[in-house]
Amino acid sequence: MSDLYWLSDAQMARLEPYFPKSHGKPRVDDRRVLSGIIFINRNGLRWRDAPRECGPHKTLYNRWKRWSDRGVFARIMAGLAAEHGEETSVMIDATHLKAHRTASSLGVKKGGVDA
């Protein structure tokens, strides 16, 4: 797949200070896993639809879940925003996220508003 997203060496160097320390067993390749997580989120895919090149989908999900719960991604975003130097608000647009196919009919099934 030529349209895969891979973090560059410079990008990884900027992100590494925010990574939690590895205790015990070494982590799977951070570049591969983070690139896979970004690819999944960018394209709105299910974890099972992750390309083979990114590794097992379970690994991607587990890293995303653990690091999200520990606030690692929030620290990365805050740290990168602080490096930029602007004192403005940062807004993330999530309009690309898909609604579930039954989302439009939920109100009708549960006695929603009469039209």
Side-chain angles (χ1 to χ4, degrees), residues 103-115:
S104 63
S105 63
L106 286 177
V108 175
K109 289 180 183 178
K110 303 232 177 196
V113 179
D114 293 328

Side-chain angles (χ1 to χ4, degrees), residues 92-99:
I92 298 175
D93 181 18
T95 56
H96 72 281
L97 298 176
K98 300 177 194 174

Side-chain angles (χ1 to χ4, degrees), residues 54-74:
C54 297
H57 66 89
K58 190 74 168 172
T59 302
L60 298 177
Y61 173 76
N62 286 340
R63 177 82 57 92
W64 174 79
K65 180 69 174 143
R66 278 194 311 267
W67 282 18
S68 294
D69 291 346
R70 294 175 68 185
V72 174
F73 292 118

Side-chain angles (χ1 to χ4, degrees), residues 8 20 30 32 44 62-63 74-75 77-78 80 83 109-110:
S8 68
D30 288 328
R32 187 182 75 180
N62 286 340
R63 177 82 57 92
R75 283 194 303 274
M77 294 298 285
L80 294 177
E83 287 177 14
K109 289 180 183 178
K110 303 232 177 196

